[in-house]
Amino acid sequence: MTSAAAVRDYVETHIDEVLADLDRLVRLETPSSRRDLLEAALPQIEAYAVERLGEPVARARHDGGERGDVLDLTWAGSPGVAGTVLSLCHYDTVWPEGTLATWPLTRDGDVLTGPGVLDMKAGIVQTVWMLRALRELGASHPAVRLMLTGDEEIGSAVSRPHIEAAAAGCLVTLISEPSAGGAVKVQRKGTVFADVTVTGLESHAGLDPYAGASAVHEIAKLIPKIVALADRSKGTTVNVGTVEGGSGRNVIAGQARCAVDVRVQDPDEAERVASALEALQVEDERCSLEMYVDHNRPPMNPTPRTEEIVALAHRVGEDLGFPIETQAVGGASDGNFIAALGLPVIDGLGGIGAGPHARHEHITVSGLPRQTALMAGIVELLAAE
């Protein structure tokens, strides 16, 4: 077998090409809300992958409607090696068009900063170089299926069925979302979102204060009840992220809204909180309440097969000379959908860095060979199985 250390050395030798590839992808501005930019970028990302890996043996592109399309590419495995590994990456980012004008990809020593470099264009480049390295070094590997989605940052409504269908037929799904210090993510919280709208009755706050029914006052009464649904002992958190309402200081507010973010590790908690939210009522009968609850993502909890593949990752770490740590985080990813189906998924295999969705978003250059080798090592051990 080819050692993961050999893959790391191979990528280090080609690091200038790897960084040039990353620059190429970061230069493609791909905000989730801009269908036109996503549609323009996806053929260029595909062309890049084909230049590095050759034509895939299977290709499908699924229409994303108002969102980014899903591109599904598969390259053959080594002769005699069965099965397929799915590498799941999203090419959309949170950064609006024009961000590159003031914040291009910039290197300062080991730090590489730029919009989307960590979340998660480094992951796309890592996948391409993982397969390229395995081939160049003559290592046995299963087929590699690269799925590129364009709506992960806004909920994956379009891509979810394609993700679930692809994962069901694969040995494992590897997700190269950002890694905190090199740890792999085996647990993520599920998310429930709620939009709360109260409609009241407007009147003049001075001339006719009792004729109105304040939507702002009613939503202020609801918020403590919403926040009280959190349960720290079970890892359930509740955050009211935005509150808005009213039209003026001297107007009894006719409408008020708040946006609620719920994170759960236990699937039963999602049902408990959602039911409690839907049961809320306003106190003033002249007001009305509209509650929209979205079960956005189920929790990601490790399956027995996931734990077996984590054990493979530990073996790869031994070859690379460092321990592979596992991590549970509050943020969700597309891995949540896969784990909820009882399928194996390893997340957090992407760039090592910090600041996703923030102006200090960055990766370490030294982390690219390491993370690519970790992915390659897992894939090669699956071939050996």
Side-chain angles (χ1 to χ4, degrees), residues 183-354:
V184 297
K185 296 171 183 175
V186 296
Q187 256 188 327
R188 288 181 177 273
K189 289 186 178 181
T191 52
V192 177
F193 298 148
D195 294 318
V196 186
T197 303
V198 176
T199 301
L201 185 63
E202 289 184 335
S203 69
H204 194 291
L207 296 176
D208 208 2
Y210 303 109
S214 174
V216 166
H217 293 181
E218 286 301 310
I219 211 161
K221 297 173 187 174
L222 288 172
I223 287 174
K225 298 176 183 178
I226 293 170
V227 174
L229 295 174
D231 187 337
R232 190 166 186 171
S233 69
K234 294 183 178 179
T236 301
T237 62
V238 179
N239 180 61
V240 177
T242 63
V243 182
E244 56 183 333
S247 58
R249 184 193 303 271
N250 59 350
V251 180
I252 305 297
Q255 194 167 78
R257 295 168 293 277
C258 71
V260 182
D261 178 294
V262 181
R263 307 277 166 154
V264 299
Q265 200 68 66
D266 181 347
D268 292 340
E269 280 292 277
E271 296 299 329
R272 177 187 69 82
V273 175
S275 296
L277 288 170
E278 291 167 344
L280 289 173
Q281 296 182 351
V282 290
E283 294 181 12
D284 191 324
E285 62 184 15
R286 295 174 297 170
C287 294
S288 62
L289 170 63
E290 181 180 351
M291 177 74 67
Y292 172 73
V293 179
D294 173 22
H295 290 260
N296 185 259
R297 279 182 168 88
M300 182 179 112
N301 291 309
T303 67
R305 181 56 179 158
T306 295
E307 292 174 348
E308 292 174 359
I309 295 172
V310 170
L312 297 183
H314 288 308
R315 288 173 56 187
V316 177
E318 291 172 4
D319 182 36
L320 292 172
F322 57 82
I324 300 298
E325 297 180 356
T326 58
Q327 188 178 41
V329 297
S333 82
D334 286 335
N336 291 55
F337 302 134
I338 298 166
L341 296 175
L343 300 171
V345 55
I346 304 293
D347 204 340
L349 291 166
I352 296 174

Side-chain angles (χ1 to χ4, degrees), residues 11-244:
V11 176
E12 287 177 347
T13 301
H14 294 82
I15 195 64
D16 288 342
E17 294 173 76
V18 174
L19 294 177
D21 289 356
L22 190 49
D23 182 67
R24 180 176 176 178
L25 296 194
V26 171
R27 286 176 183 271
L28 301 173
E29 293 191 293
T30 51
S32 305
S33 60
R34 289 289 301 275
R35 162 76 184 181
D36 56 334
L37 295 177
L38 293 165
E39 190 172 15
L42 192 53
Q44 297 184 64
I45 299 172
E46 180 179 9
Y48 155 66
V50 171
E51 285 173 22
R52 287 297 188 197
L53 299 174
E55 290 291 337
V57 296
R59 177 191 184 277
R61 181 163 171 167
H62 306 286
D63 184 8
E66 296 180 356
R67 301 183 178 186
D69 289 354
V70 176
L71 182 63
D72 190 352
L73 306 171
T74 302
W75 286 272
S78 303
V81 178
T84 301
V85 169
L86 176 63
S87 177
L88 181 58
C89 301
H90 66 85
Y91 64 98
D92 63 316
T93 76
V94 299
W95 300 102
E97 183 184 22
T99 302
L100 281 171
T102 58
W103 185 28
L105 189 67
T106 305
R107 181 175 182 179
D108 182 7
D110 192 41
V111 175
L112 194 66
T113 180
V117 65
L118 176 66
D119 191 12
M120 63 176 299
K121 289 179 177 175
I124 300 173
V125 172
Q126 282 182 203
T127 299
V128 169
W129 279 90
M130 170 197 73
L131 182 53
R132 184 178 176 89
L134 288 171
R135 286 175 172 181
E136 292 291 319
L137 295 170
S140 294
H141 61 85
V144 174
R145 185 173 183 177
L146 171 61
M147 179 169 280
L148 296 161
T149 68
D151 65 342
E152 193 274 345
E153 296 292 4
I154 52 175
S156 304
V158 169
S159 57
R160 179 176 182 175
H162 303 295
I163 292 167
E164 292 175 335
C170 290
L171 299 171
V172 67
T173 299
L174 305 179
I175 301 182
S176 44
E177 286 279 8
S179 173
V184 297
K185 296 171 183 175
V186 296
Q187 256 188 327
R188 288 181 177 273
K189 289 186 178 181
T191 52
V192 177
F193 298 148
D195 294 318
V196 186
T197 303
V198 176
T199 301
L201 185 63
E202 289 184 335
S203 69
H204 194 291
L207 296 176
D208 208 2
Y210 303 109
S214 174
V216 166
H217 293 181
E218 286 301 310
I219 211 161
K221 297 173 187 174
L222 288 172
I223 287 174
K225 298 176 183 178
I226 293 170
V227 174
L229 295 174
D231 187 337
R232 190 166 186 171
S233 69
K234 294 183 178 179
T236 301
T237 62
V238 179
N239 180 61
V240 177
T242 63
V243 182
E244 56 183 333

